Every structure is written in structure tokens, then in C-alpha cells.
Amino acid sequence: MSHACAPPAARGPAPVLPVVAVIALLAVPVAPDGEGGATPADAASGVLVLWCAVRLLLHRRRPLSPTAAVVLGLPVAGFAVAAAVTAVPGAAVTGFVRCVQVFVLVPAAVLLLVRDRRDVRLLAWAVVGLALWQGAVGVHQYATGTGASYMGREIRAVGTFGPGDVMAMASVVALGLVCAVGLALGSAPVRGEHLPARAEPGARGRVWAVVCALLLVVPLALSFSRGAWIATALACGAQLVLAGMRRAVRAGAVVAAVAVVLVGGFGIGSALLQERFSTIGRVADAPDRSVTDRYAMWAAAAGMWRERPLTGIGLKGFPEHRDGYASLALSSGSDTEGAGAAYRKQPLLSPHNMYLLVLGEQGLVGLLALAGSWLALLVLGLRRLVRTRRARGPGLDCALVACGLLVWHLADFAYADIGGPTTVLTAVCFGLAAWWALAGDDPAASRKAAAR
């Protein structure tokens, strides 16, 4: 049989499976009274980076294109400068390693291990699966009164992450919702494309994605996380617009109608949701305790930056310098209990704003380097998405997933920062965004990668 008539080479074990393992390990319950530290998913992300390095050595491949190396490597300069001015050497080392892991090494490993659009869809469905699991646990917590404490009742959905990180489940569910929306808005298969037609999503897959997206609305609402709500609305709205205005209006109407039905069916919970929603529009007029604390920490981070505008106070420096810059309005900590954990006062060790955290600890040098990398990913990703949609090419669902995840994080970073067990998922999401923005779309390269 000639080579031309030979069937396509079978795809061996996917190199991207270690990334799936990282996502899956986030389903492992966190100790209720845990004090943070490394998680199984963090350890798996280290193995992921080593696995990628070994593959590069064995196959003697050039690690990254020049553009990818510059975009992903740019934040290292800011991290290095901030580490150099950190007063405590131990904090400098741990802070530098953590930042490089989350924003450089893991995203680069994901970029290099993803072979084609099928791998992107595999990771997107893995995130959706994780979100469904955490969301199911969260809905059960709300229904049975075994969640984290909220307004005197243990009804807040936190999944397996416990009350010490009430934002974790909201983030996972929101990211799963963004992935599901992107998969649902994908185009039909394109004939004659270099990947088999079965590599493109069918109508059944898009229907399941719609079902998953609608199901995830419930636990997202029960998380009572205003920041996650806002970021998800912005990301999904951007996905709908990027998919086409006609589809955006049709899908938006369906989602709005279903959301009203689901929220309306919560009974007494609807009053709590309405109260939580109403606080979004009046945080400046009548802020609650959490908003007041957040404003105080934002002011403290801004004060650190004003004192050392170029380099900041150094990596991991916010907790140590917080009291020297915070106003008297800042409380001693937030009260946490429920979901299997006893009452404790959790200290406020970050400003809950990634941009201000970077500005305070790394100064203008660090913020420009890190935000410049993110902006480059966004511009390159959107440009490729627009070209794909105009040409009616394949992979629109992958584009919407990647760009949606990036938009979600850029919006959420105005209300949150890295930290906690889901930080490694943030790194994976940046890797997916980097693959869409920076990876080549050469058919020969894709076939060669698939053969390996």
C-alpha cells in the first residue's frame, strides 16, 4: 500500500493529558481548616512543566517562537526587579518562583503540549466537568444548609474548597460556564479542512454545551460572588458579540429567560440574591463590611506604590506593609465558618485586586511587563478570532473559549488576585489563551504533531 493511500496515523496518548490531570486534581477536597500551602494540583503543575521539558529534549524541538518567547517571557523582567528589592530573601525566592510558575512556565507548557483544536476542546470539557462537580457540591450545600456562612445562615455554595476560600468555587464554575458558552457557539464542521470532520464539534456536542452552561448558572448564583458574576457577564457577553450579533441576540434572549426561571425557582433564596445583586450598584453609597475592607486595602496598595512607584515594595510584601498604609476603616479580618469548618477570623493579606497588588509590590515596571503580556495575548487572540470568523474557518469554538477565559480573568482581576487552590487553573487558562494567540496554524505542523 502506498503512503498516499495509507490511513491517517493514529493519535497516540495525548501529551496534554497531564494538563487534564492538573484540572482533575482540583476536584480533591481541601481540608476545611487548611492554612493554604501547596495542593495536589500545584504539585501536578510542577510535574507538567517537567514533562514538557523532557518532551522538548527528546524530540529536540525549538521551545517557543520568538514572538511567543517575548510575550510569555516579558513578565519575568518585572518579577526579577521586584524580587531584587524585596527585603526578605526567602519571600523574594518564593514569590518569584510562584509568579513565574503561574504566568510563565505553566502557560508555556500548555502552549507546547496542546497539539491541535481537539486538545483545546478536551481541556475545555475538562474545565466544564470540574465546574459541574464543584457546582453540584455547592448546590447541595445550599439546599441542605451545609455551606459557608452567609448573613447568619450556612447556605453559601463553596464546593470542596471550604469557607477559607469562598471565591474558589465561584471561579471554577464561572470558568466552566465560559468554556461551555464558547463550545456552544462553535461553528459547524468545515469540509476539506486538514483535520478530519470528526475533529470539529457536532450539533450534539453544542447542545450538551448549552445544557451545561444553563446548569452552571445555578451554582454561580448561589456562590453570592459579585466579582465572579460581573466577570462572567462581561466574558460571556464578549463571546456572544464575537460570535456574531444575530447569534448574540438569540442566545442572549434564551440565557436571560432561563436565568430568570432558574433564579425565580429558588424561593427564599431569590430574596438573598436580589439583595446581593442590589449591592453591586450601591457599593459606593452604602458599602457593606467586605466592600469597606476592600476599599481600605486598595488604598493601602496605592500608598505602597506612591512610595516606590517604579519597583514597588517587593514580592510578597503586601501583608507585611499593609498596616503601615491601611486606614482605620480596615477590620482585623473576615469571619469564616460553615462547610465543615469551625469559626475563625481569616486575616486580610491581599488587596483583592490583581492590578493594585502588582502595582504595590512590583511597581510600574512589573505592572507594565505583566499587563503588556496580557494585552498582547488579547490583541493577537482577537485578531486571529476575527480572521477565523470572517473566513468561516474551523476552530471558532476554540477561539471563543480561549478569548473568553482571558477576558474573564482580566475582568475578575479588578476584584480578585491570585492565591488559593484555583491559582493553577488560572495558569492553565492563560496557557489556552496563549495557544490560540501564539501557536501556528500550519497544517503540516499539526499533522506532524498529531503523529507523535
Side-chain angles (χ1 to χ4, degrees), residues 117 178 181-183 185-187 235-245 247 376-407 432-433 435-439 441:
R117 294 185 296 278
V178 170
V181 170
L183 293 168
L185 294 174
S187 302
C236 292
Q239 288 175 309
L240 290 171
V241 172
L242 291 170
M245 289 304 299
R247 188 179 301 179
L377 290 179
L378 182 62
V379 171
L380 293 173
L382 290 177
R383 186 176 66 177
R384 187 180 175 192
L385 185 154
V386 171
R387 287 202 308 262
T388 299
R389 196 186 71 184
R390 286 178 178 174
R392 298 182 180 274
L396 180 61
D397 58 332
C398 297
L400 293 172
V401 167
C403 294
L405 292 175
L406 183 58
V407 170
L432 286 173
W435 180 86
W436 176 255
L438 301 171
D441 200 27

Side-chain angles (χ1 to χ4, degrees), residues 246-269:
R246 181 180 301 178
R247 188 179 301 179
V249 173
R250 185 168 59 247
V254 173
V255 171
V258 174
V260 169
V261 173
L262 292 175
V263 174
F266 287 154
I268 190 171

Side-chain angles (χ1 to χ4, degrees), residues 114-139:
V114 170
R115 296 175 294 184
D116 49 44
R117 294 185 296 278
R118 282 172 288 192
D119 285 348
V120 174
R121 294 182 188 111
L122 174 62
L123 294 180
W125 278 113
V127 175
V128 173
L130 173 65
L132 289 172
W133 161 247
Q134 293 291 351
V137 175
V139 172

Side-chain angles (χ1 to χ4, degrees), residues 173-335:
V173 170
L175 293 174
L177 179 56
V178 170
C179 288
V181 170
L183 293 168
L185 294 174
S187 302
V190 178
R191 293 182 179 179
E193 198 263 328
H194 65 274
L195 286 177
R198 64 178 180 274
E200 296 301 315
R204 182 179 299 178
R206 294 195 296 275
V207 170
W208 277 113
V210 171
V211 172
C212 292
L214 295 177
L215 289 175
L216 290 173
V217 171
V218 178
L220 180 61
L222 297 180
S223 70
F224 298 103
S225 175
R226 293 169 294 198
W229 292 345
I230 295 172
T232 305
L234 291 175
C236 292
Q239 288 175 309
L240 290 171
V241 172
L242 291 170
M245 289 304 299
R246 181 180 301 178
R247 188 179 301 179
V249 173
R250 185 168 59 247
V254 173
V255 171
V258 174
V260 169
V261 173
L262 292 175
V263 174
F266 287 154
I268 190 171
S270 60
L272 296 174
L273 289 173
Q274 291 173 6
E275 171 63 22
R276 192 65 167 174
F277 272 114
S278 67
T279 61
I280 296 177
R282 55 181 172 86
V283 291
D285 299 329
D288 56 28
R289 178 76 265 173
S290 64
V291 174
T292 300
D293 285 339
R294 186 162 301 187
Y295 285 163
M297 290 188 292
W298 286 4
M304 298 174 193
W305 167 69
R306 283 192 294 268
E307 182 168 315
R308 302 179 70 173
L310 287 181
T311 62
I313 60 173
L315 295 175
K316 298 286 187 178
F318 184 87
E320 181 181 353
H321 294 81
R322 183 201 64 181
D323 293 340
Y325 294 90
S327 66
L328 295 178
L330 180 65
S331 65
S332 58
S334 59
D335 299 331

